[in-house]
């Protein structure tokens, strides 16, 4: 399990997304569908990409009362996606409800991954606005430990945190890491970035790569470069 490159398909329409995936001809990269595309096109875009043979990480970051998340996860499990996520801040009860809801009648389920503190939240904002009086790295590890305790499969985190997450939660607890850039590439709005090769070295299980692939002149070559560096 793991060691794969997930392409963040941050497009706002089905046409754009399918035209992008068409460029990969026979290849079937793992695809991340986020809120923008899902809210624009609905569940049919998930079914269509799945029918083309891709694995899908449905990145909707659920966060609500346990019963609502449980029932919503049950609906998402019927889309046959491979990975879903939620906010660890929703508590262990919510995460346990999610696991129960997402488990299909035959016992199979997608991987369930927790978001800890969003990387867009600074330590200062977290302490002042959310009244969490702890260093942000301690909060991230505490949330990751809660996710592991609730039975989840892993967390989304910075590649720089992957090693510490494995130390805290066990080597088998998955780290899904965005914030990936090629050594000679543009960082864009990401701050704490690593290359695919560095992410591999630190121990990421899956890297999530958006613009370095989607905005490349040759997206297929950029994807293959990621796979060569990360998976080897
Ligand atoms: O284009 P780029 O490679 O920066 O895209 C990274 C993807 O990972 C985007 O879909 C972004 O929303 C997502 N992501 C992130 N940082 C997080 C969580 C998700 O960049 N902490």
């Amino acid at each position: 399990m793991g060691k794969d490159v997930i392409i963040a398909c941050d497009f706002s329409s089905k046409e754009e997304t399918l035209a992008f995936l068409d460029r990969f001809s026979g290849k079937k990269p793992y695809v991340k569908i986020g809120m923008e595309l899902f809210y624009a096109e609905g569940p049919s875009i998930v079914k269509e990409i799945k029918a083309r043979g891709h694995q899908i990480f449905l990145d909707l970051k659920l966060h609500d009362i346990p019963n609502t998340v449980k029932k919503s996860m049950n609906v998402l499990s019927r889309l046959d996606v491979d990975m879903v996520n939620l906010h660890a801040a929703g508590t262990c009860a919510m995460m346990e409800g999610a696991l129960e809801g997402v488990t299909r009648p035959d016992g199979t389920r997608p991987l369930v991954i927790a978001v800890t503190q969003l990387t867009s939240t600074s330590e200062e904002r977290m302490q002042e606005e959310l009244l969490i009086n702890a260093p942000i790295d301690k909060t991230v590890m505490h949330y990751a430990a809660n996710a592991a305790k609730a039975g989840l499969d892993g967390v989304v985190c910075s590649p720089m945190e992957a090693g510490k997450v494995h130390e805290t939660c066990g080597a088998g607890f998955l780290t899904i890491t965005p914030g990936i850039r090629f050594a000679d590439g543009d960082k864009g709005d990401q701050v704490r970035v690593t290359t695919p090769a560095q992410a591999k070295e630190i121990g990421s299980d899956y890297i999530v790569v958006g613009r370095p692939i989607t905005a490349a002149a040759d997206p297929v070559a950029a994807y293959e470069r990621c796979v060569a560096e990360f998976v080897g």
Side-chain angles (χ1 to χ4, degrees):
M1 190 193 287
K3 292 292 174 212
D4 207 348
V5 175
I6 303 178
I7 304 179
C9 283
D10 292 323
F11 302 114
S12 55
S13 74
K14 172 178 161 173
E15 291 70 30
E16 221 183 328
T17 310
L18 297 183
F20 172 76
L21 293 177
D22 281 345
R23 300 180 70 155
F24 287 81
S25 45
K27 292 185 197 70
K28 302 290 176 191
Y30 208 127
V31 164
K32 178 170 91 73
I33 297 177
M35 290 185 213
E36 184 185 7
L37 185 58
F38 190 78
Y39 291 151
E41 299 289 353
S44 67
I45 186 70
V46 176
K47 290 179 190 160
E48 186 146 357
I49 294 175
K50 192 74 200 178
R52 286 169 165 235
H54 297 268
Q55 286 183 280
I56 297 180
F57 170 19
L58 189 56
D59 177 19
L60 298 181
K61 300 185 180 70
L62 274 66
H63 189 175
D64 208 316
I65 60 171
N67 187 54
T68 302
V69 169
K70 177 179 161 183
K71 288 168 136 184
S72 305
M73 282 292 188
N74 187 258
V75 174
L76 295 184
S77 75
R78 292 180 227 149
L79 292 176
D80 198 24
V81 291
D82 302 277
M83 192 185 289
V84 293
N85 63 356
L86 43 64
H87 276 279
T91 75
C92 288
M94 191 200 79
M95 293 191 269
E96 285 158 9
L99 272 185
E100 209 183 313
V102 86
T103 304
R104 304 181 184 105
D106 65 0
T108 64
R109 63 169 177 79
L111 293 171
V112 183
I113 304 299
V115 174
T116 56
Q117 278 293 340
L118 290 170
T119 45
S120 52
T121 306
S122 68
E123 182 165 89
E124 189 188 14
R125 295 289 102 224
M126 182 193 79
Q127 292 177 347
E128 284 181 12
E129 292 180 23
L130 308 182
L131 284 184
I132 297 174
N133 282 316
I136 197 157
D137 54 344
K138 199 171 166 201
T139 312
V140 167
M141 291 310 148
H142 183 65
Y143 282 23
N146 282 348
K149 198 166 77 184
L152 264 61
D153 302 293
V155 286
V156 180
C157 63
S158 154
M160 292 167 176
E161 293 160 353
K164 188 81 195 289
V165 168
H166 284 140
E167 266 173 43
T168 308
C169 303
F173 192 67
L174 301 173
T175 51
I176 321 298
T177 64
I180 302 296
R181 291 295 179 264
F182 291 122
D184 52 1
D186 185 5
K187 276 195 192 178
D189 54 356
Q190 295 279 18
V191 182
R192 298 172 67 223
V193 300
T194 72
T195 65
Q198 287 165 337
K200 177 182 184 179
E201 178 110 8
I202 304 169
S204 288
D205 295 289
Y206 293 84
I207 53 172
V208 177
V209 189
R211 289 160 291 178
I213 295 176
T214 57
D218 184 344
V220 179
Y223 170 71
E224 282 171 348
R225 183 176 170 190
C226 280
V227 173
E229 278 194 34
F230 183 67
V231 186

